[in-house]
């Protein structure tokens, strides 16, 4: 972190005579209520049907040198009434960004997103998943990094050095959405002898040409997905132990735009777990009906196929042979009202995961979000068996400042 500290010193000491300085302070505070219609499946889980929490995320940005330099600080805090692990703080971003004509760089803690599909962010591997936030795995922890991007006519080449591994967050032993067994946060093992101090590396090439957006990447380092290994303590109590392996992962994300069609693909091949090298992919389309019923609203129809060929010696996934169907409604009104609803259908076990996301701005500073998941027809012997009673609806009211 010495480079980051130096960037702060330089950022505030040197640019005072430079033009284009500005300081922004913004963010949000949110009240959230998560409702579980059914009682808990396991006797050691909290059986509360209503679980409130409070979220605070301020954002500070300082720019100088004609806005070619920027320091960003985004801390995050959640206080949850029922899940001790969900009560947590994180630094989502604390970084220095510098831009030149044909390159830019980020030093510090930051977030990077790779991917194009809707149902499962398969190739997004730089940042660790903040799983206590939501089971959809879309929330990420901040990752220490050195990132250099070379901006050329033939594409962008991005180099990442990632020092300092972040373990995945999991719900507490007695919390809802924890799965079939408690996950031991104190018994974690690594393949690397450096454990969480192993330095990871990533390289990505991206380019846009015609209607295509293409990304090719390779990652080497500690897997963001742990293998969960069951074990019993001296009293016979079962729990999962986390094991983080070193992996090589090569991936492709591609999107083609033509008229109302978006064709999407994410694919990867990975080696390094105790199992064999495997291939996984998510591909499909989004077709948009513009101005439905002679209104300003647009309706997008989505379909994606999910395949994952990993074996039993790799981190388990329920998405081996699944189909996602969904719809996205954008009213294009002054309140930015949007609704996304979908279902993931398991082709083998006929399990179904329904999801809904609704968002609407109530005023210039107030925003309403509704999110939910429904676990239906869950196989009592499958990977999702621990979640069959944990269907939920979440309502969040955010005040932006």
């Amino acid at each position: 972190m010495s480079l980051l500290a130096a960037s702060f010193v330089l950022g505030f000491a040197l640019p005072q005579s430079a033009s284009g300085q500005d300081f922004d302070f913004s963010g949000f505070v949110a009240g959230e209520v998560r409702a579980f219609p059914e009682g808990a499946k396991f006797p050691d889980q909290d059986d509360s049907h209503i679980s409130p929490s409070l979220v605070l995320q301020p954002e500070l940005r300082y720019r100088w040198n004609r806005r070619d330099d920027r320091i960003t600080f985004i801390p995050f805090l959640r206080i949850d009434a029922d899940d001790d692990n969900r009560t947590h703080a994180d630094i989502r971003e604390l970084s220095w960004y510098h831009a030149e004509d044909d390159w830019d760089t980020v030093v510090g803690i930051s977030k990077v997103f790779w991917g194009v599909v809707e149902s499962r962010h398969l190739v997004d591997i730089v940042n660790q998943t903040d799983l206590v936030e939501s089971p959809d795995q879309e929330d990420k922890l901040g990752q220490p990094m050195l990132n250099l991007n070379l901006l050329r006519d033939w594409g962008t080449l991005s180099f990442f050095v990632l020092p300092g591994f972040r373990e995945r967050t999991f719900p507490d032993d007695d919390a809802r959405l924890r799965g079939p067994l408690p996950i031991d946060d104190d018994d974690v093992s690594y393949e690397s002898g450096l454990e969480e101090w192993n330095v990871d590396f990533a390289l990505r090439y991206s380019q846009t040409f015609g209607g295509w957006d293409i990304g090719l990447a390779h990652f080497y380092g500690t897997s963001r997905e742990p293998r969960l290994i069951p074990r019993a303590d001296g009293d016979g109590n079962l729990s999962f132990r986390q094991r983080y392996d070193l992996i090589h992962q090569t991936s492709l994300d591609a999107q083609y735009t033509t008229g109302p069609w978006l064709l999407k693909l994410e694919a990867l091949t990975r080696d390094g777990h105790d199992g064999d090298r495997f291939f996984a992919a998510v591909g499909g389309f989004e077709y948009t009906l513009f101005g439905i019923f002679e209104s300003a609203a647009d309706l997008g129809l989505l379909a994606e196929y999910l395949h994952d060929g990993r074996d039993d010696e790799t981190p388990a996934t329920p998405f081996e042979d699944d189909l996602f169907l969904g719809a996205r409604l954008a009213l294009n009104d002054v309140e930015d009202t949007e609704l996304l609803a979908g279902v993931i259908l398991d082709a083998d076990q006929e399990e179904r995961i329904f999801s809904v996301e609704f968002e609407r701005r109530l005023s210039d500073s107030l925003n309403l979000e509704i999110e939910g998941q429904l676990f239906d027809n869950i196989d009592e012997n499958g990977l999702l068996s621990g979640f069959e009673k944990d269907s939920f609806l979440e309502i969040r009211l955010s005040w932006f400042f």
Side-chain angles (χ1 to χ4, degrees):
M1 300 302 290
S2 59
L3 286 175
L4 182 60
S7 74
F8 270 92
V9 173
L10 292 172
F12 286 100
L14 296 181
Q16 301 306 314
S17 60
S19 61
Q21 301 177 51
D22 63 72
F23 178 81
D24 293 335
F25 177 70
S26 60
F28 70 88
V29 59
E32 188 176 287
V33 174
R34 183 178 279 180
F36 297 93
E38 296 185 84
K41 178 174 181 176
F42 305 105
D44 55 344
Q45 283 182 294
D46 180 53
D47 203 28
S48 299
H49 288 270
I50 301 295
S51 180
S53 63
L54 181 68
V55 177
L56 174 64
Q57 181 174 291
E59 301 184 9
L60 297 90
R61 292 179 175 85
Y62 178 66
R63 302 176 179 87
W64 72 95
N65 191 22
R66 300 176 183 86
R67 302 174 72 89
D68 288 337
D69 287 273
R70 180 180 70 240
I71 288 175
T72 302
F73 178 42
I74 305 179
F76 174 86
L77 172 67
R78 177 184 292 277
I79 300 174
D80 190 90
D82 298 301
D83 186 344
D84 290 343
N85 285 2
R86 202 167 185 241
T87 295
H88 70 301
D90 183 45
I91 297 177
R92 298 308 203 207
E93 294 191 48
L94 179 55
S95 64
W96 166 48
Y97 167 83
H98 175 73
E100 294 289 345
D101 290 340
D102 60 355
W103 63 273
D104 60 47
T105 187
V106 176
V107 181
I109 299 172
S110 191
K111 292 203 295 184
V112 174
F113 174 75
W114 298 345
V116 294
V117 300
E118 186 66 46
S119 56
R120 183 188 183 196
H121 300 312
L122 185 66
V123 305
D124 190 30
I125 194 173
V126 171
N127 291 83
Q128 178 60 276
T129 299
D130 193 0
L131 196 61
V132 296
E133 283 299 298
S134 175
D136 63 15
Q137 302 190 22
E138 293 189 357
D139 295 275
K140 300 290 182 173
L141 298 172
Q143 170 64 46
M145 69 176 63
L146 304 175
N147 170 215
L148 172 64
N149 303 296
L150 304 181
L151 315 174
R152 301 293 188 264
D153 292 339
W154 41 264
T156 298
L157 198 57
S158 301
F159 301 88
F160 297 87
V161 180
L162 309 168
F165 176 76
R166 307 290 307 277
E167 294 174 8
R168 179 166 293 192
T169 62
F170 290 96
D172 201 11
D173 293 356
D174 61 353
R176 304 298 291 265
L177 295 165
R178 71 148 204 218
L181 290 175
I183 297 174
D184 194 335
D185 296 326
D186 299 320
D187 188 7
V188 180
S189 66
Y190 296 84
E191 180 179 348
S192 170
L194 296 175
E195 298 183 335
E196 68 267 32
W197 300 111
N198 186 73
V199 179
D200 305 333
F201 300 92
L203 171 67
R204 186 171 191 262
Y205 167 76
S206 58
Q207 175 65 312
T208 298
F209 54 93
W212 287 95
D213 293 287
I214 300 290
L216 289 168
H218 185 79
F219 171 91
Y220 170 70
T222 303
S223 172
R224 274 45 181 165
E225 290 183 276
R227 284 189 289 132
L228 299 179
I229 303 171
R231 58 116 201 202
D233 62 18
D235 297 325
N237 299 313
L238 292 174
S239 64
F240 281 128
R241 178 185 187 226
Q242 301 175 58
R243 169 71 174 182
Y244 291 95
D245 302 312
L246 292 174
I247 63 168
H248 281 279
Q249 176 174 303
T250 302
S251 64
L252 164 70
D253 56 277
Q255 179 171 283
Y256 180 66
T257 304
T258 175
W261 291 91
L262 288 177
L263 307 180
K264 307 178 182 185
L265 173 68
E266 293 185 28
L268 64 81
T269 176
R270 184 190 297 174
D271 181 39
H273 300 291
D274 284 354
D276 297 329
R277 174 181 290 275
F278 69 89
F279 171 79
V282 182
F285 68 85
E286 180 172 356
Y287 179 80
T288 301
L289 302 167
F290 298 101
I292 58 171
F293 305 119
E294 300 182 352
S295 70
D298 300 329
L299 178 65
L301 304 176
L302 300 93
E304 296 173 357
Y305 173 67
L306 297 80
H307 166 77
D308 200 304
R310 67 185 67 193
D311 58 29
D312 294 338
E313 301 302 318
T314 56
T317 178
F319 305 118
E320 295 177 333
D321 183 21
D322 298 75
L323 179 65
F324 169 76
L325 301 173
R328 188 197 318 272
L329 177 64
L331 296 187
N332 297 317
D333 54 1
V334 294
E335 292 83 11
D336 290 331
T337 306
E338 290 193 7
L339 173 67
L340 173 65
V343 58
I344 295 178
L345 307 167
D346 188 292
D348 297 323
Q349 299 172 326
E350 299 184 355
E351 296 175 314
R352 295 179 286 268
I353 304 175
F354 294 90
S355 62
V356 62
E357 298 177 16
F358 172 82
E359 185 171 2
R360 180 181 176 87
R361 194 174 64 241
L362 302 181
S363 70
D364 290 340
S365 56
L366 282 177
N367 197 63
L368 173 66
E369 296 172 82
I370 301 174
E371 178 181 340
Q373 287 193 342
L374 171 64
F375 302 97
D376 181 51
N377 197 39
I378 301 301
D379 183 352
E380 63 180 18
N381 297 314
L383 289 175
L384 296 175
S385 62
F387 300 93
E388 64 176 328
K389 300 291 186 180
D390 284 344
S391 299
F392 70 92
L393 186 69
E394 185 176 279
I395 300 174
R396 174 191 278 199
L397 185 64
S398 304
W399 177 65
F400 289 84
F401 52 85

